[in-house]
Amino acid sequence: MITSPIWLPATLMAGGMQAWRTAVQRRVSHSLSLNAAGLVRYLYGLPFAIVLLGGYWLVNPAPLPALGPLFLLFCIGGGLAQIVATNLLILAFGYRNFVVGTAYSKTEAVQGALLSFLLMGERLSALTCAGIGCGVAGVMLLSTGGKRMGPMDFLRALGQPAAITGIASGFFFALTAIGIRRATQEVGGGDPIHAALIVLSVTVLLQTLLQGGYLALREPGEMRKVFTSWRVSGQVGFLSAMGSACWFTGFATAPVALVRIVGQIEVAFTMAFGHFYLGERMARSEAMGLMLVACGVVLALLGAL
């Protein structure tokens, strides 16, 4: 159920912010361990999340809601799922390039549709389901690099480490979205943006404590590197907080699957960053895959009307 039209611009902004943040984070991951590269988005994103919440509250003051144990449970669940998803995505980058790693993770659209139906009873129109299929076809074309593949070749490709880690990342990102949507529903009230920013601040705080505590115990040397890399890591934190604020607003105001389907437009931003920021070449098949993703987004939007 769509409760506000703000979900669409919020989702489009989230896609751009996330692609930018992931591109910067990949550069950070060259000098940090897997867990340290994941921590920077939460540790450096926390101050920005709190500033966003405080600034919005000053402009639109409202009484603080009574937050129960279910709220905390969904925040912890969504936060843990996001930590796992982010680490898997960074692993996928190590097996293939930036665009392909992200492409596999974008199967979260169809995984999110299935999970939100099974866990939350959210239903989609036939046109939106067609958009899911079109979008998934697009990201799979991106992932194959334009190679001609038969059914067995495709199945073997799905068994490669990049595919396994990327698809698993998409699964946990889908779980993240469901956890965040349920947390915003627990906040209640008539202002979805306020609810989204409360969930964002609490979730990022919990993620910082969880992954920061793990890193301090298991990789103390990497913890020092996290603090000395503040110039670039601060960019990751800012972009992460802004992107998550937009994602959480989308989840608070529209079905999870619909937000994730439209969020596939991130692939377009990803290709642009991969080409211009990271210097990765763009093949003709990637342009065709991008067109399929765009068609999927359009079909999803038409199905939501």
Side-chain angles (χ1 to χ4, degrees), residues 69-100:
L70 279 179
F71 167 81
L72 190 60
L73 178 64
F74 288 126
C75 284
I76 293 174
L80 281 173
Q82 190 175 43
I83 288 174
V84 174
T86 300
N87 285 0
L88 287 169
L89 182 59
I90 295 174
L91 276 177
F93 293 158
Y95 295 119
R96 295 287 297 277
N97 68 24
F98 174 63
V99 170
V100 172

Side-chain angles (χ1 to χ4, degrees), residues 8-282:
L8 180 55
T11 300
L12 295 176
M13 289 180 62
M17 289 289 182
Q18 181 163 314
W20 189 359
R21 185 265 301 162
T22 305
V24 178
Q25 189 172 25
R26 190 187 178 194
R27 300 188 75 170
V28 172
S29 67
H30 292 161
S31 58
L32 298 175
S33 70
L34 177 66
N35 287 298
L39 174 62
V40 297
R41 67 176 294 187
Y42 313 123
L43 177 65
Y44 288 96
L46 180 59
F48 295 109
I50 293 173
V51 168
L52 285 172
L53 175 60
Y56 187 82
W57 184 84
L58 287 174
V59 176
N60 300 279
L64 291 176
L67 304 176
L70 279 179
F71 167 81
L72 190 60
L73 178 64
F74 288 126
C75 284
I76 293 174
L80 281 173
Q82 190 175 43
I83 288 174
V84 174
T86 300
N87 285 0
L88 287 169
L89 182 59
I90 295 174
L91 276 177
F93 293 158
Y95 295 119
R96 295 287 297 277
N97 68 24
F98 174 63
V99 170
V100 172
T102 303
Y104 277 122
S105 74
K106 288 292 100 181
T107 57
E108 68 177 289
V110 65
Q111 295 186 74
L114 292 172
L115 288 173
S116 60
F117 171 74
L118 293 173
L119 299 178
M120 302 180 66
E122 293 183 348
R123 298 178 180 272
L124 301 174
S125 68
L127 200 56
T128 299
C129 290
I132 294 177
C134 191
V136 171
V139 296
M140 287 298 99
L141 180 58
L142 285 168
S143 70
T144 61
K147 298 178 181 178
R148 293 183 178 274
M149 301 179 69
M152 294 306 298
D153 295 324
F154 183 72
L155 289 176
R156 280 193 292 269
L158 290 179
Q160 297 299 311
I164 294 171
T165 53
I167 292 171
S169 172
F171 174 77
F172 281 100
F173 274 129
L175 286 179
T176 300
I178 292 172
I180 296 307
R181 179 161 173 80
R182 287 294 291 113
T184 58
Q185 290 174 345
E186 289 297 317
V187 174
D191 189 341
I193 298 179
H194 187 223
L197 292 177
I198 290 175
V199 174
L200 172 64
S201 297
V202 173
T203 302
V204 174
L205 173 61
L206 293 170
Q207 290 171 318
T208 301
L209 294 174
L210 290 169
Q211 192 154 13
Y214 176 86
L215 198 68
L217 290 173
R218 302 298 298 271
E219 305 176 47
E222 290 297 317
M223 179 64 81
R224 289 190 290 271
K225 291 181 182 179
V226 167
F227 287 109
T228 57
S229 68
W230 64 270
R231 288 181 177 84
V232 179
S233 296
Q235 298 176 44
V236 175
F238 170 74
L239 294 169
S240 177
M242 295 297 295
S244 293
C246 293
W247 281 124
F248 287 19
T249 299
F251 298 144
T253 52
V256 166
L258 184 59
V259 172
R260 282 308 192 189
I261 295 162
V262 175
Q264 283 185 328
I265 198 67
E266 177 198 346
V267 175
F269 297 117
T270 296
M271 291 177 68
F273 280 112
H275 180 67
F276 295 107
Y277 186 71
L278 299 176
E280 295 178 349
R281 300 181 62 181
M282 186 183 302

